[in-house]
Amino acid sequence: MGTAEPAKTPGRPGADTQVVPLRHPGRPRTEMQVVPLRHPGRWVAAAVVCLLAAMAVHSLFFSNVKRDGVTESRFEWDIINHYFFSTGVLEGLGVTLALTAVAMAGGILLGVVLSIMRLSPNPIVTGSSWVYIWFFRGTPVLVQLLFWYNAAYIFPSFTLGVPFGPALAHFNLNSWLTPFVAACLGLALNEGAYMAEIIRAGIISVDEGQTEAAQSLGMSRLQALRLIVLPQAMRVVIPPTGNETISMLKTSSLASVVVAPELLFRVEQIYAANYYVIPLLMVASLQYLWVTSVLMVGQYYLERHYARGAARQLPPTPLQRLRRWLLIRPDEHRWARLAHPKTVPLAGYPHE
Amino acid sequence: MNEVMVSAEGVRKHFGRLEVLRGIDLEVRAGEVLCMIGPSGAGKSTFLRCINHLEKIDEGRLTVDGELVGYREHSGRLYELRDREVGQRRAQIGMVFQHFNLFPHMTALENVTVGPLKVKHEDKGAATERGREMLRRVGLADKVVAYPRQLSGGQQQRVAIARALCMQPKLMLFDEPTSALDPELVSDVLDVMRSLADDGMTMVVVTHEMGFAREVGDSLVFMDEGVIVESGPPKSVLTSPRHERTQAFLSRIL
């Protein structure tokens, strides 16, 4: 054996081979109390936030104000409540939803085509996609909306036919290009440019080996893109697309400028007649808010769907988490742990 | 003597100014297992990728089962094949990659059946049945519904082999199939490859597994700097290499 014999582990006589002692040789095995670190700063922060929240709730729902000698509730909730379900507002909301759906569907379709064009081996195709994106991202969407609204001034009629040859169909743009159509066109064409970049980012994010594996099975370039690359790109594409949808819901309010009868336009019409400006703007905001909330939930489940195979195990949904949280013992709740930090007995001694 | 499955004559390939293949002449007969060894950057993988047209060759003549790779010869001219036609030829050649390249959004069974279903337009029942059978063959009958992420590297590579086999190829290409695996998982994959060779599959294997090359290979090719330095029966090349570059390479890895 070597000259430097390591310290023998106590309680193990006869172990004369090389044994690395895990515990400190001199100390006996003990049960130790572990005191968790206290966080007084967190309690202060929580108190400040609670105070501010209480003030906001009070000002929103419980405070009154004197207007022209009459005391009334500050935010006039009765008026908000009355107009929230009024026909004009609900019709406006319907137009807003239709505008958002059409613009996003058109934008996504256009985005897929533009992004595939952008990745094409043909430089003219790539270049034209680049020019499109450059132009539509480079000019304000409000200007684009105004342009489409006034397009009938430049192109009073629109003819489908053989280039420089006979005409097949004829449209009178003055009657065809209604405010709604102009708004759809403007928003969709603009959105297409942004979606193209989002989808392109998704496509590049998929490893090239995936395309190679698909091609080695005999798939064509487009088949590989459709069956293998795009479904994987979705994971990268969906969060920003959800973002774009939520953003589009609110951007569609710009269409009020071109007198499309969407939510904000209808609300403006109502308050122009009765001067309840703030309550009606609150109505519009609350409508936008609840639709956005629904869209967020939809995005969450869509993301989960396309996370298949990307994570070993999907995290529980908020509903599953809530169910689990309700089922465990009350003293294990996070709140209970916050109030009564326990000392935890720890078996043994941490090895050195 | 069996018919020639792969034939290369003076195959050259360069990426920009870098010459990767500088005249490869080689023949693989049906049922033969050819192993290719050599230092990294020798052009082994590039040559393998040329065989199923993942890379286009710049010069020379490369045929698989008598058909030119990527081209059609007609009255003294070479016509480049369309994407679909290239696909039809690739469908007859199985390829296994170093990094598996399984489709992560599909289960093992979906991975092995997507080719037969979407490329060969086979009946779903038949394709599924053969998919299960192939997964059983590579020892993964219980992993049919697992996603690639839930499998170990060795299991993933065996699914990748099953995926290639499901296309019922006449030739299998292996691009360093065990190089990305933990040492204890290598033997599972090599066992599957060995049983394939025993069944008479024609295989071209780029590998660093000298034991596999010696036992399973019918012939061995040592490549360096884009040329074939030495070739012959594996045992003689491995035990008594004639060329000094081969000797130097083998002395470093054995």
Side-chain angles (χ1 to χ4, degrees):
Chain A
M1 283 303 286
T3 45
E5 189 102 356
K8 280 181 190 169
T9 317
R12 287 191 65 186
D16 56 1
T17 46
Q18 283 205 336
V19 172
V20 183
L22 273 181
R23 302 201 185 88
H24 198 285
R27 283 187 208 163
R29 185 189 161 96
T30 47
E31 298 261 310
M32 301 288 286
Q33 296 287 311
V34 176
V35 183
L37 183 64
R38 306 297 166 113
H39 300 281
R42 289 185 193 170
W43 288 97
V44 174
V48 170
V49 169
C50 284
L51 182 72
L52 289 174
M55 285 166 72
V57 167
H58 177 259
S59 136
L60 263 174
F61 299 106
F62 301 107
S63 68
N64 294 324
V65 72
K66 231 177 189 171
R67 297 192 183 103
D68 303 325
V70 186
T71 305
E72 46 187 13
S73 91
R74 191 185 292 271
F75 278 91
E76 296 167 291
W77 282 99
D78 47 336
I79 294 165
I80 293 175
N81 196 30
H82 174 260
Y83 281 104
F84 195 83
F85 299 104
S86 69
T87 324
V89 167
L90 291 183
E91 278 175 5
L93 181 66
V95 173
T96 289
L97 291 178
L99 210 53
T100 308
V102 172
M104 278 315 290
I108 290 172
L109 212 67
L110 203 59
V112 171
V113 173
L114 284 168
S115 61
I116 292 173
M117 283 170 70
R118 194 75 201 277
L119 298 166
S120 148
N122 182 340
I124 294 189
V125 172
T126 318
S128 54
S129 168
W130 185 88
V131 167
Y132 181 97
I133 294 167
W134 166 76
F135 183 79
F136 281 90
R137 281 203 312 184
T139 52
V141 63
L142 183 56
V143 175
Q144 288 171 31
L145 281 172
L146 288 167
F147 173 84
W148 287 110
Y149 181 57
N150 294 301
Y153 173 75
I154 311 170
F155 298 103
S157 65
F158 177 74
T159 307
L160 263 182
V162 183
F164 309 109
L168 298 175
H170 191 83
F171 299 97
N172 181 0
L173 276 199
N174 260 323
S175 60
W176 188 72
L177 207 59
T178 63
F180 181 78
V181 173
C184 283
L185 258 175
L187 292 174
L189 292 179
N190 182 69
E191 186 57 32
Y194 286 93
M195 282 309 301
E197 289 296 276
I198 290 172
I199 294 165
R200 188 173 68 99
I203 291 176
I204 324 179
S205 78
V206 178
D207 183 56
E208 217 173 314
Q210 292 290 315
T211 311
E212 285 180 359
Q215 286 182 331
S216 76
L217 285 176
M219 289 188 197
S220 67
R221 226 170 59 90
L222 276 178
Q223 256 185 327
L225 193 68
R226 187 165 54 83
L227 296 169
I228 306 301
V229 177
L230 280 180
Q232 293 181 61
M234 289 302 270
R235 227 167 60 76
V236 175
V237 167
I238 282 180
T241 304
N243 214 11
E244 288 292 309
T245 310
I246 286 165
S247 168
M248 175 61 74
L249 181 76
K250 291 161 298 159
T251 307
S252 69
S253 63
L254 287 180
S256 61
V257 176
V258 295
V259 299
E262 49 76 57
L263 182 56
L264 186 66
F265 181 77
R266 297 298 293 263
V267 160
E268 284 172 344
Q269 271 186 327
I270 299 170
Y271 72 59
N274 63 13
Y275 299 108
Y276 286 127
V277 179
I278 296 293
L280 276 155
L281 288 178
M282 290 280 286
V283 166
S285 302
L286 289 172
Q287 294 281 13
Y288 283 119
L289 205 56
W290 83 256
V291 177
T292 305
S293 315
V294 170
L295 287 176
M296 282 170 75
V297 174
Q299 182 187 346
Y300 176 83
Y301 282 96
L302 209 60
E303 272 175 37
R304 262 179 80 84
H305 175 77
Y306 281 103
R308 263 182 325 169
R312 281 209 177 80
Q313 200 138 42
L314 289 175
T317 64
L319 271 177
Q320 290 169 341
R321 225 172 277 165
L322 184 72
R323 212 173 302 143
R324 216 166 289 171
W325 191 77
L326 289 173
L327 284 175
I328 56 174
R329 293 212 320 274
D331 61 319
E332 283 178 358
H333 281 173
R334 187 181 296 197
W335 293 350
R337 285 207 303 273
L338 246 179
H340 316 284
K342 283 187 294 191
T343 56
V344 192
L346 185 78
Y349 194 81
H351 71 260
E352 311 198 350
Chain B
M1 207 58 164
N2 285 335
E3 60 194 289
V4 176
M5 183 57 82
V6 181
S7 150
E9 292 165 43
V11 169
R12 283 173 174 271
K13 168 80 192 169
H14 55 79
F15 294 118
R17 294 174 69 184
L18 178 72
E19 276 209 276
V20 190
L21 300 177
R22 301 186 297 164
I24 301 287
D25 297 296
L26 175 146
E27 218 166 67
V28 185
R29 295 189 172 274
E32 192 184 353
V33 176
L34 173 80
C35 292
M36 305 180 83
I37 60 168
S40 59
K44 305 164 301 213
S45 291
T46 306
F47 179 70
L48 203 67
R49 291 158 59 83
C50 286
I51 295 178
N52 72 352
H53 207 49
L54 283 178
E55 303 287 356
K56 226 188 248 183
I57 64 172
D58 295 321
E59 237 178 87
R61 202 181 157 84
L62 184 58
T63 63
V64 172
D65 204 12
E67 286 178 318
L68 275 175
V69 173
Y71 297 92
R72 185 177 46 234
E73 199 169 12
H74 186 65
S75 57
R77 286 186 186 185
L78 292 184
Y79 293 90
E80 222 177 312
L81 291 181
R82 293 164 184 283
D83 201 26
R84 287 256 321 263
E85 296 166 314
V86 173
Q88 280 164 4
R89 300 230 179 138
R90 282 191 187 127
Q92 303 167 2
I93 304 172
M95 180 141 185
V96 176
F97 299 86
Q98 180 178 359
H99 295 289
F100 330 137
N101 296 349
L102 287 183
F103 306 133
H105 58 303
M106 297 180 179
T107 62
L109 186 63
E110 287 168 342
N111 262 284
V112 299
T113 53
V114 67
L117 287 177
K118 300 293 178 181
V119 177
K120 293 170 118 184
H121 303 288
E122 278 182 29
D123 172 58
K124 180 146 191 185
T128 308
E129 197 178 316
R130 195 167 67 248
R132 285 179 188 278
E133 185 197 313
M134 288 302 170
L135 286 173
R136 196 176 315 124
R137 175 167 183 185
V138 298
L140 295 170
D142 54 335
K143 298 291 182 188
V144 166
V145 292
Y147 284 99
R149 279 290 163 86
Q150 296 162 330
L151 301 174
S152 74
Q155 291 170 333
Q156 288 190 47
Q157 192 61 296
R158 284 184 279 153
V159 174
I161 294 174
R163 175 173 70 178
L165 290 178
C166 269
M167 294 297 285
Q168 298 174 313
K170 53 189 179 191
L171 167 69
M172 285 283 284
L173 308 174
F174 291 86
D175 188 5
E176 302 197 23
T178 55
S179 297
L181 297 178
D182 288 343
E184 78 268 25
L185 302 175
V186 167
S187 62
D188 293 343
V189 172
L190 291 183
D191 288 344
V192 170
M193 290 168 62
R194 189 173 288 128
S195 85
L196 259 183
D198 291 345
D199 289 355
M201 175 64 78
T202 314
M203 293 159 68
V204 181
V205 185
V206 172
T207 187
H208 293 299
E209 296 292 331
M210 297 305 148
F212 176 84
R214 183 197 302 262
E215 288 166 36
V216 183
D218 297 308
S219 51
L220 184 74
V221 161
F222 172 72
M223 272 182 79
D224 193 16
E225 293 176 353
V227 291
I228 293 177
V229 177
E230 195 166 342
S231 64
K235 283 194 184 80
S236 66
V237 176
L238 287 174
T239 47
S240 50
R242 281 165 306 180
H243 203 283
E244 58 185 83
R245 271 195 282 176
T246 322
Q247 289 164 5
F249 176 74
L250 290 174
S251 70
R252 253 178 291 132
I253 61 159
L254 286 178

